[in-house]
Amino acid sequence: QVQLVESGGGLVQPGESLRLSCLASGNISSITSMGWSRQAPGKQLEVVAVITRSGKTIFGAPMQGRFTVSRDIVQNTIYLQMNSLKPEDTAVYYCAASALTEAGAEDNYWGRGTQVTVSS
């Protein structure tokens, strides 16, 4: 089992920055990748960024060049740095993790989400 807790959401103005954090606990050693997804009102869940165990990062197209994802292995935390925020970035941001079970299958875990609102 893996538990994920997000923090850092809030209200910002267009063009400003925000950093989200996600603290993982539980069976940390089973995690193969972590990342962020978001869901805006009335829209489908959208992948924002993924960071693999090896450190490779993958971003959704709308986030390229504006968002970065990083991790602190000692603190079991990943971060999402969001710059040049736009009103269309308004959404609930969820932290997610993929982890291997003892049987070798993959389980996915989700945090409860943190609201990011970009508005003037």
Side-chain angles (χ1 to χ4, degrees):
Q1 291 284 332
V2 173
Q3 294 79 43
L4 304 171
V5 178
E6 304 99 334
S7 60
L11 171 65
V12 295
Q13 295 189 348
E16 293 186 338
S17 299
L18 201 62
R19 189 177 81 158
L20 306 182
S21 302
C22 174
L23 172 64
S25 60
N27 192 4
I28 302 297
S29 62
S30 68
I31 295 174
T32 57
S33 66
M34 292 182 68
W36 297 89
S37 292
R38 70 184 185 185
Q39 188 164 28
K43 295 189 177 181
Q44 291 186 332
L45 192 66
E46 177 183 32
V47 174
V48 175
V50 176
I51 183 165
T52 68
R53 174 177 280 180
S54 65
K56 179 181 178 181
T57 57
I58 304 165
F59 293 93
M63 303 80 185
Q64 295 265 2
R66 297 190 299 124
F67 292 9
T68 58
V69 61
S70 60
R71 63 183 179 180
D72 183 330
I73 295 175
V74 174
Q75 299 293 332
N76 297 325
T77 300
I78 66 167
Y79 304 96
L80 181 67
Q81 177 66 43
M82 303 183 291
N83 300 324
S84 301
L85 282 162
K86 304 173 181 180
E88 50 264 42
D89 293 317
T90 296
V92 177
Y93 284 70
Y94 297 94
C95 180
S98 294
L100 289 178
T101 68
E102 291 183 357
E106 190 170 82
D107 274 345
N108 294 315
Y109 298 90
W110 295 87
R112 292 187 174 185
T114 185
Q115 176 71 46
V116 172
T117 303
V118 185
S119 176
S120 55

